[in-house]
Amino acid sequence: MAKDTAAAPMDPTSSEATQPQLDRAVAQGEAYGRALSYMTGEVAQGGGEQQAGHYLIGYAIEEAEGMYHYRDGELVWCNPDRENAHVEITVRDAADGRFVPAAHVTATLISPSGTELGPYEQELVWHPMLYHYARNWTLPEDGEYTLRVHVDPPTFMRHDEINGRRFTHPADVEFTGVRIERGAKRVDVPQD
């Protein structure tokens, strides 16, 4: 299978993109990158990022946390049950740094003792600061894990006959030495 090895186009001579427009896309990506750095450096236990073709794929680890889920036409708050970690995955455009929505993202964790967990789908999460893909996990032990992330290309339409040629192949990355300390469940109470 072919892989995206060339940089995604950022051509201001297309009929759809001007240099000021591409500069604004880069500015959006830089803002997302600053929020991501804050998340991995100040909020999460840690994180990292690697380039894979047209993508920048990253992760952050936090305590399991409550979230709204959409069920039967309503938002329902769900706190973690047995889950003891929250794995967040970011997928960004390697050319401009912006978040890539609508990708199908799965993750697999391999515990320090070699137990393989997953692959599990990481769902898109709206967050007040940082869109990401995530799920709560039930992990068997603390220590250094291996995290494998697989991204299938999004199926959304791409505008621009030149710059729209991106995100056409799956991507895989592996992070080793991912330190995870299973935390107490964070029980959040929604404000009604």
CSV table of all heavy atoms in Angstrom, one decimal, residues 14 16 29 48 54 74-75 77-78 104 106 108 111-112 137 157 169 173 185:
chain,number,residue,atom,x,y,z
A,14,SER,N,-3.2,28.0,-6.2
A,14,SER,CA,-4.4,27.3,-6.6
A,14,SER,C,-5.6,28.3,-6.8
A,14,SER,O,-5.5,29.4,-6.4
A,14,SER,CB,-4.8,26.2,-5.6
A,14,SER,OG,-5.4,26.8,-4.5
A,16,GLU,N,-8.3,28.2,-5.2
A,16,GLU,CA,-9.0,28.2,-4.0
A,16,GLU,C,-8.3,28.8,-2.8
A,16,GLU,O,-8.9,29.1,-1.7
A,16,GLU,CB,-9.5,26.8,-3.6
A,16,GLU,CG,-10.4,26.2,-4.6
A,16,GLU,CD,-11.7,27.0,-4.8
A,16,GLU,OE1,-12.2,27.6,-3.8
A,16,GLU,OE2,-12.3,26.9,-5.9
A,29,GLY,N,-3.3,26.4,13.2
A,29,GLY,CA,-2.5,25.2,13.7
A,29,GLY,C,-1.6,25.6,14.8
A,29,GLY,O,-1.4,24.8,15.7
A,48,GLY,N,3.2,13.0,23.8
A,48,GLY,CA,4.2,13.1,22.7
A,48,GLY,C,3.5,13.2,21.4
A,48,GLY,O,2.2,13.1,21.3
A,54,HIS,N,1.0,12.6,6.1
A,54,HIS,CA,0.4,14.0,6.2
A,54,HIS,C,-0.1,14.3,7.6
A,54,HIS,O,-0.7,15.4,7.8
A,54,HIS,CB,-0.8,14.1,5.2
A,54,HIS,CG,-0.3,14.1,3.8
A,54,HIS,ND1,-1.2,13.9,2.7
A,54,HIS,CD2,0.9,14.2,3.2
A,54,HIS,CE1,-0.5,14.0,1.6
A,54,HIS,NE2,0.8,14.1,1.9
A,74,GLU,N,-30.6,12.7,23.9
A,74,GLU,CA,-30.3,13.6,25.0
A,74,GLU,C,-28.8,13.4,25.4
A,74,GLU,O,-28.3,12.3,25.3
A,74,GLU,CB,-31.2,13.3,26.2
A,74,GLU,CG,-32.6,13.6,26.0
A,74,GLU,CD,-33.4,13.4,27.3
A,74,GLU,OE1,-32.9,13.6,28.4
A,74,GLU,OE2,-34.6,13.0,27.2
A,75,LEU,N,-28.3,14.4,26.0
A,75,LEU,CA,-27.0,14.3,26.6
A,75,LEU,C,-27.1,13.7,28.0
A,75,LEU,O,-27.9,14.2,28.8
A,75,LEU,CB,-26.3,15.7,26.8
A,75,LEU,CG,-25.8,16.3,25.5
A,75,LEU,CD1,-25.3,17.7,25.7
A,75,LEU,CD2,-24.7,15.4,24.8
A,77,TRP,N,-24.8,12.4,31.4
A,77,TRP,CA,-23.5,12.5,32.0
A,77,TRP,C,-23.1,11.1,32.5
A,77,TRP,O,-23.9,10.4,33.2
A,77,TRP,CB,-23.5,13.4,33.2
A,77,TRP,CG,-22.2,13.6,33.8
A,77,TRP,CD1,-21.7,13.0,34.9
A,77,TRP,CD2,-21.1,14.4,33.3
A,77,TRP,NE1,-20.4,13.4,35.1
A,77,TRP,CE2,-20.0,14.2,34.1
A,77,TRP,CE3,-21.0,15.2,32.1
A,77,TRP,CZ2,-18.8,14.9,33.9
A,77,TRP,CZ3,-19.8,15.9,31.9
A,77,TRP,CH2,-18.7,15.7,32.8
A,78,CYS,N,-21.9,10.6,32.2
A,78,CYS,CA,-21.5,9.3,32.6
A,78,CYS,C,-20.1,9.4,33.3
A,78,CYS,O,-19.1,9.9,32.7
A,78,CYS,CB,-21.3,8.4,31.4
A,78,CYS,SG,-22.9,8.1,30.5
A,104,HIS,N,-11.0,8.0,11.6
A,104,HIS,CA,-11.3,6.8,12.4
A,104,HIS,C,-10.0,6.4,13.1
A,104,HIS,O,-9.0,6.1,12.5
A,104,HIS,CB,-11.8,5.6,11.6
A,104,HIS,CG,-12.2,4.4,12.4
A,104,HIS,ND1,-11.4,3.4,12.6
A,104,HIS,CD2,-13.3,4.2,13.2
A,104,HIS,CE1,-11.9,2.5,13.4
A,104,HIS,NE2,-13.1,3.0,13.7
A,106,THR,N,-8.0,4.3,16.2
A,106,THR,CA,-7.9,3.2,17.2
A,106,THR,C,-6.6,3.3,17.9
A,106,THR,O,-5.6,3.7,17.4
A,106,THR,CB,-8.2,1.8,16.6
A,106,THR,OG1,-7.2,1.6,15.6
A,106,THR,CG2,-9.5,1.7,15.9
A,108,THR,N,-4.1,0.9,20.8
A,108,THR,CA,-3.7,-0.4,21.5
A,108,THR,C,-2.7,0.0,22.5
A,108,THR,O,-1.7,0.7,22.2
A,108,THR,CB,-3.2,-1.4,20.5
A,108,THR,OG1,-4.1,-1.7,19.5
A,108,THR,CG2,-2.8,-2.7,21.2
A,111,SER,N,0.8,-3.4,28.1
A,111,SER,CA,1.2,-3.1,29.5
A,111,SER,C,2.7,-3.5,29.8
A,111,SER,O,3.3,-4.2,29.0
A,111,SER,CB,0.3,-3.9,30.5
A,111,SER,OG,0.7,-5.3,30.5
A,112,PRO,N,3.2,-3.0,30.9
A,112,PRO,CA,4.6,-3.3,31.2
A,112,PRO,C,4.8,-4.9,31.3
A,112,PRO,O,5.9,-5.3,31.0
A,112,PRO,CB,4.8,-2.7,32.6
A,112,PRO,CG,3.8,-1.6,32.6
A,112,PRO,CD,2.7,-2.0,31.8
A,137,TRP,N,-10.0,4.0,29.8
A,137,TRP,CA,-9.5,2.7,29.8
A,137,TRP,C,-9.4,2.1,31.2
A,137,TRP,O,-9.2,2.8,32.1
A,137,TRP,CB,-8.0,2.7,29.2
A,137,TRP,CG,-7.9,3.0,27.8
A,137,TRP,CD1,-8.1,4.3,27.2
A,137,TRP,CD2,-7.4,2.2,26.7
A,137,TRP,NE1,-7.9,4.2,25.9
A,137,TRP,CE2,-7.4,3.0,25.6
A,137,TRP,CE3,-7.0,0.9,26.7
A,137,TRP,CZ2,-7.0,2.5,24.3
A,137,TRP,CZ3,-6.5,0.4,25.4
A,137,TRP,CH2,-6.6,1.2,24.3
A,157,MET,N,-15.2,15.7,2.4
A,157,MET,CA,-14.7,16.3,1.2
A,157,MET,C,-13.6,17.2,1.4
A,157,MET,O,-13.4,17.7,2.5
A,157,MET,CB,-15.9,17.1,0.5
A,157,MET,CG,-17.1,16.2,0.1
A,157,MET,SD,-18.4,17.2,-0.7
A,157,MET,CE,-19.1,18.0,0.7
A,169,HIS,N,-4.2,8.1,3.0
A,169,HIS,CA,-3.7,6.8,3.4
A,169,HIS,C,-3.8,6.6,4.9
A,169,HIS,O,-3.7,7.6,5.6
A,169,HIS,CB,-2.2,6.6,2.9
A,169,HIS,CG,-2.0,6.7,1.4
A,169,HIS,ND1,-2.4,5.7,0.6
A,169,HIS,CD2,-1.5,7.6,0.7
A,169,HIS,CE1,-2.1,6.0,-0.6
A,169,HIS,NE2,-1.6,7.2,-0.6
A,173,VAL,N,1.5,4.9,14.2
A,173,VAL,CA,2.6,5.3,15.0
A,173,VAL,C,2.7,4.4,16.2
A,173,VAL,O,1.7,3.9,16.7
A,173,VAL,CB,2.6,6.8,15.4
A,173,VAL,CG1,2.6,7.7,14.1
A,173,VAL,CG2,1.3,7.1,16.2
A,185,LYS,N,-10.5,7.5,40.0
A,185,LYS,CA,-11.4,8.1,39.0
A,185,LYS,C,-11.8,9.5,39.4
A,185,LYS,O,-12.1,9.8,40.5
A,185,LYS,CB,-12.7,7.2,39.0
A,185,LYS,CG,-12.5,5.8,38.5
A,185,LYS,CD,-13.7,5.0,38.6
A,185,LYS,CE,-13.5,4.2,39.9
A,185,LYS,NZ,-14.2,3.2,40.3
